[in-house]
Amino acid sequence: MILDGRDTASIAAAAQALHRGELVGLPTETVYGLAADAGNDAAVAKIFAAKERPAEHPLIVHVADAAAVAHFARDVPAFAQQLIQAFWPGPLTLILPRRPEVGAAAAGGQNSIGLRCPSHPVAHALLLACRALGVQGVAAPSANQFGRVSPTTAAHVQSELGDALLVLDGGPCEVGIESTIIDCTRGAPVLLRPGAITREQVQAACGLPMVAKEALDAPAPRASGTLESHYAPRAKLRLMDARALQTALDLLGKDIDAGKARIAVYARAILRTPAAKVLYRRMPDDAPAAAQQLFAVLRDFDALGVKLIWVETPPDTPEWEGVRDRLSRAAA
Ligand code: TXA
Ligand code: MG
């Protein structure tokens, strides 16, 4: 059931459902989440069941404001405080030392916890309504089946998880890819997942160089957002530079048997395409716009029955890191 998230009665109904231990589809500025009361381990277990996600994978807990951090985390380092100051509310998740008495199921049993304060007005209103009922935070992974493309509209959530779920409609997500995740438990910021907030912005805000997660001696916990093959459309996706893409298209144009090939091309470059054989969509030239539509475009191609998606590799610059990361996982 989809409810209009701008309606205060919908917010109240969703907050009560969360308080009762039920799940809710939640709009955020990044992607839609599947939310449960982070303080209720039985409710959190329903998320893992609905997503068919392994229970030792930690979830992100969403909070109304910076004041709620102290409920879940302790020993917050100064650089993490600076990042909260600079980027909350917004698409930044911080991994912090967890208070042992709260959020064990949400944290997948880790002694750390991922916290984020979303900027979406519907998410914010829901988190405030939850707090008034004693719910201090909501655990919410992306509202898709495990391993699939994250949803960026309420309709996507319904198609992933069914009609019975209460979903608050907050419109299409503005950012379009999941939050940047910074591990703050290792003395210096470690980038676990790139997103709209770039590594350069993080470094500038806290004055510390980012440590590569590959440089850690103890590996970061298992995390689905960081698995090789994740964010996968049903079609097979290949990344190529514009020249290789043009060569492949020229060959396809000459192949008279390729009529039923069902190939989609998603590229920034202007390419000559055998129009009858391929579906051609232009990728926006700026990274935020490309991120905003990325998952919806992949879903569209799947819905059209495309079997192969050829994507032009995005530029190797910091602002494209999040989009590059999602595309290379989708190609794995
Ligand atoms: O943008 C987002 O962050 C979205 C929206 C709904 O807010 N949420 C999201 O959640 O992407 P999810 O569950 O799909 O991503 C959770 C990821 C894990 O896969 C892991 O990479 C990281 O967050 N994570 C969470 N808690 C962690 C912890 N304690 N230690 C290390 N990584 C953690
Ligand atoms: Mg996810």
Side-chain angles (χ1 to χ4, degrees), residues 51 53 142 144 150 178 193 230-231:
K51 285 193 55 136
R53 170 166 164 153
S142 50
N144 51 279
S150 297
E178 303 81 353
R193 180 173 73 184
H230 204 66
Y231 311 109

Side-chain angles (χ1 to χ4, degrees), residues 104-127:
Q110 311 281 343
N111 54 19
S112 58
I113 192 153
L115 295 179
R116 136 165 156 80
C117 174
S119 64
H120 194 294
V122 174
H124 185 67
L126 181 65
L127 289 166

Side-chain angles (χ1 to χ4, degrees), residues 4 17 27 32 52 54 72 78 85 115 123 128 180 209 222 226 238-239 256 261 275 300 312:
D4 184 349
Y32 276 70
E52 298 176 35
F72 293 98
Q85 278 288 322
L115 295 179
L128 287 180
T180 304
R222 226 182 330 249
T226 58
R238 252 182 82 187
L239 280 166
I256 45 169
D300 285 350
E312 180 186 348

Side-chain angles (χ1 to χ4, degrees), residues 2 143 145 151 153-163 234 299:
I2 295 180
Q145 293 294 324
T153 68
H156 293 165
V157 178
Q158 208 170 43
S159 78
E160 288 283 331
L161 299 167
D163 293 346
R234 284 175 220 288
R299 268 174 201 275

Side-chain angles (χ1 to χ4, degrees), residues 27 78 120 127 151-152 204 227 250 258 280 317:
H120 194 294
L127 289 166
T152 54
L227 294 179
D250 290 343
Y280 177 31
T317 54

